[in-house]
Amino acid sequence: MPRVCALDVGVATAIRRHGEETFPHECCGALIGRDDRVIAAVGLPNTTEEGPRRRFLVRPLDYRMAEQKASELGGELLGFYHSHPDHPARPSQFDLDHAWPNFAYVIVSVMAGVSKVMTVWYLKEDRSSFDEGTLNGDENSDSDSPSPVHG
Amino acid sequence: MATKILIPTPLRPYTDKQEAVEATGATVGELLADLTTKYAGLKAHLYNEQGKLRSFVNIYLNDEDIRYMQKDQTPVTANDTVSIIPSVAGGWGI
């Protein structure tokens, strides 16, 4: 059974809006909640120096801030989200190489400035690939788009 | 001599859910070696196949990144706090 990541009302919309606002650059942010239920998506600055059209980076200081924010909200850090501008919502080799275990990685595809498919992924324990989870609570899910291929 | 090490959320399943643990060593390198001996599940996520710390793993001694100190040769004492702080990176393409 795929692991389920449940988004509270408004979370999916916030992620989609962030991805559209930063298009054609990637957006990124933290997922805060408890027990696979996300209560808040907190946008963070994309500080990559490798080109924000295809990369994102959350610096250690921003990571620390996200953990602090999670405590303030009475939850914990469940993972991170980011966008793939004009690319599918499936993890890349770069995503895999940089992934942390036990985190949910939500990816939203933003095509020509409009958010489309949103997916969630979890790193396998042996770091060989991701397992796709089931994302619940995406009130704007794009049902016309094809399912993403496993990375 | 035990030094406190702060563990980030994604690695706590490997430290019995503890936010802070103790390890011993005179340098950061020795400390991390002791840590990964005690909590073996951490090793694959902290080090790459060549035995080097992964690029997105940041080790801070108190509030300073050890990359700007003496790296894994940075001396530690029982009064210090070492933090493992993630960078989170990704994006499309290779």
Side-chain angles (χ1 to χ4, degrees):
Chain A
M1 284 283 290
R3 189 165 167 181
V4 175
C5 178
L7 306 180
D8 271 12
V9 173
V11 171
T13 301
I15 294 170
R16 289 178 178 281
R17 188 179 300 140
H18 194 190
E20 291 174 357
E21 283 171 359
T22 61
F23 184 88
H25 295 169
E26 295 201 7
C27 71
C28 55
L31 303 171
I32 291 171
R34 190 170 288 284
D35 298 330
D36 289 327
R37 178 186 157 200
V38 179
I39 61 170
V42 178
L44 296 170
N46 180 356
T47 60
T48 185
E49 294 178 352
E50 295 182 54
R53 282 176 181 255
R54 58 194 295 265
R55 293 283 183 262
F56 79 92
L57 173 67
V58 176
R59 293 174 303 189
L61 291 181
D62 292 321
Y63 176 89
R64 257 186 174 171
M65 192 206 69
E67 284 219 340
Q68 194 176 338
K69 182 76 176 171
S71 295
E72 288 169 12
L73 293 174
E76 58 187 21
L77 201 49
L78 298 182
F80 285 82
Y81 70 86
H82 70 282
S83 61
H84 281 182
D86 288 331
H87 279 77
R90 59 183 168 87
S92 64
Q93 183 64 43
F94 192 84
D95 287 329
L96 178 64
D97 291 343
H98 293 78
W100 287 88
N102 307 302
F103 265 166
Y105 283 91
V106 167
I107 304 175
V108 61
S109 170
V110 183
M111 296 293 189
V114 179
S115 65
K116 297 287 184 182
V117 174
M118 187 153 59
T119 55
V120 62
W121 306 83
Y122 299 89
L123 180 67
K124 286 183 193 289
E125 186 53 43
D126 65 2
R127 304 190 63 88
S128 62
S129 64
F130 286 96
D131 287 322
E132 184 171 9
T134 299
L135 199 59
N136 287 348
D138 180 8
E139 53 271 80
N140 304 301
S141 101
D142 181 6
S143 57
D144 292 336
S145 298
S147 296
V149 177
H150 284 257
Chain B
M1 182 187 70
T3 300
K4 184 178 178 183
I5 305 175
L6 300 182
I7 307 297
T9 304
L11 298 183
R12 288 177 197 160
Y14 310 109
T15 58
D16 304 323
K17 298 186 178 175
Q18 298 176 90
E19 295 179 21
V21 298
E22 291 192 336
T24 58
T27 64
V28 168
E30 290 178 10
L31 197 68
L32 293 178
D34 186 48
L35 176 73
T36 52
T37 300
K38 285 179 175 162
Y39 303 101
L42 291 172
K43 199 164 187 175
H45 301 297
L46 294 179
Y47 295 98
N48 64 20
E49 292 71 16
Q50 290 74 45
K52 302 277 187 191
L53 271 178
R54 295 183 183 275
S55 61
F56 50 91
V57 175
N58 306 284
I59 307 295
Y60 278 61
L61 177 64
N62 303 316
D63 282 324
E64 197 154 354
D65 189 333
I66 65 160
R67 289 189 188 92
Y68 304 107
M69 302 174 79
Q70 296 169 59
K71 301 181 179 171
D72 61 353
Q73 295 301 310
T74 305
V76 290
T77 71
N79 296 324
D80 291 320
T81 297
V82 170
S83 305
I84 301 171
I85 307 180
S87 295
V88 181
W92 59 269
I94 296 171

